[in-house]
Amino acid sequence: MSTPVMQVAALSKAFRLPGRTATALREVDLQVAAGVVTGLIGPDGAGKTTLMRLAAGLLLPDTGTVRVLGQDAGSESLAVQSQVGYMPQRFGLYEDLSVQENLDLYADLQEVPPDKRPARYEELLNMTGLGRFTRRLAGQLSGGMKQKLGLACTLVRAPRLLLLDEPTVGVDPVSRRELWSIVYRLVEQQGMSVLLSTAYLDEAERCAEVILLHQGQVVGHGRPAAFSEPLCGRSFRVRQADTLPRRLQARLATLPDVLDATVQGQAVRLVTRRAEPPDLTGDELAGAPFHAVPPRFDDGFIALLRGSESLQQ
């Protein structure tokens, strides 16, 4: 087993706000594997961006440590930043500069030697498909092209670890697919390690490992399949010809044995607490046909979130 590229131990971080303190991370322990794409998922406010910024050496922890590539991201932030590429949600492109001028600016900031730039530019422009647009102002690019330019600027100096904070939010489906293709190419051809936060569960399912954060704590970490495997026998599809799906979903969602109920076409998909259909004895839905279906990654996601919330109540 190779050494993890990121090791987090007893990590906590809070922010002082007017009249209150907001805790972003609570006693977090985790590791990020080398040479693969690790997905970071969780609801808004789970602590994903805070974890990314701590890993990039842009924030200091209140307690605990973040070691990145063997170095402490708090006390050795400059050394970490020289080996890490970080692309935040709103990447800082200069929209009144051209594509080429943005690349030049970030090459200056990252202290890339002038003689190394032409070959690196050519590689990045080919990878992102921006080679024909070097003279276009960044402000005139589409959303997907801006994201790809942001990624190219992050990669001007090839990092060992790439941190991507929700890079596909607000991007069209084709550009999402192209961004993922670029990320996989970096991992497969250059051996880069990637930690990528995403709001899309279908993207998380494509990662080698997934870390689920909720209310500042890790509530799940493993292969995507490990999230759904515990739910075998707990996923069902039910349909009643004389009941509208929305009404059926609303009724099923109130049952104590049901963790989640979502409309799926003309039927409702259920995730239950036990490996059996919910007890409908004496209920108006008694006799409704329940059909077992294979569990999905998002079933596991919901089950872990609901289980975490019930423990904290």
Side-chain angles (χ1 to χ4, degrees), residues 148-219:
K148 286 187 282 188
L149 176 57
L151 181 57
C153 290
T154 303
L155 296 170
V156 166
R157 182 183 57 201
R160 292 175 57 192
L161 171 63
L162 179 61
L163 304 171
L164 301 175
D165 194 358
E166 299 197 1
T168 58
V169 167
V171 175
D172 64 272
V174 172
S175 295
R176 278 178 61 191
R177 192 180 312 123
E178 291 173 345
L179 280 165
W180 270 94
S181 177
I182 294 169
V183 169
Y184 278 126
R185 203 177 317 161
L186 292 168
V187 172
E188 294 168 2
Q189 297 180 4
Q190 301 184 22
M192 198 172 291
S193 305
V194 179
L195 177 63
L196 181 150
S197 69
T198 178
Y200 303 107
L201 295 183
D202 63 312
E203 291 186 346
E205 197 170 7
R206 298 173 61 179
C207 298
E209 291 190 355
V210 176
I211 300 168
L212 172 56
L213 285 179
H214 183 45
Q215 297 181 351
Q217 296 180 303
V218 176
V219 296

Side-chain angles (χ1 to χ4, degrees), residues 117-168:
R117 297 184 186 188
R120 187 62 176 165
Y121 288 166
E122 182 178 7
E123 180 182 4
L124 293 171
L125 290 169
N126 287 337
M127 181 185 298
T128 57
L130 294 173
R132 295 184 293 118
F133 306 100
T134 54
R135 296 184 179 180
R136 183 174 297 185
L137 294 181
Q140 297 176 352
L141 299 175
S142 67
M145 293 172 74
K146 286 180 180 179
Q147 290 293 78
K148 286 187 282 188
L149 176 57
L151 181 57
C153 290
T154 303
L155 296 170
V156 166
R157 182 183 57 201
R160 292 175 57 192
L161 171 63
L162 179 61
L163 304 171
L164 301 175
D165 194 358
E166 299 197 1
T168 58

Side-chain angles (χ1 to χ4, degrees), residues 225-242:
F227 284 71
S228 57
E229 286 169 353
L231 294 179
C232 287
R234 294 172 54 190
S235 299
F236 300 90
R237 192 169 184 269
V238 59
R239 179 179 181 181
Q240 267 195 331
D242 59 347

Side-chain angles (χ1 to χ4, degrees), residues 54-77:
L54 285 161
L58 301 176
L59 292 175
L60 291 174
D62 294 335
T63 58
T65 58
V66 184
R67 297 194 65 81
V68 177
L69 302 170
Q71 297 166 312
D72 189 298
S75 62
E76 302 172 280
S77 59

Side-chain angles (χ1 to χ4, degrees), residues 83-120:
Q83 301 180 76
V84 168
Y86 173 50
M87 181 175 165
Q89 292 180 26
R90 296 177 181 175
F91 192 79
L93 293 176
Y94 291 84
E95 299 205 345
D96 56 343
L97 298 182
S98 69
V99 168
Q100 185 62 60
E101 288 168 337
N102 270 279
L103 289 171
D104 290 337
L105 175 61
Y106 278 91
D108 290 340
L109 293 173
Q110 297 175 29
E111 300 181 344
V112 178
D115 61 320
K116 302 290 185 182
R117 297 184 186 188
R120 187 62 176 165

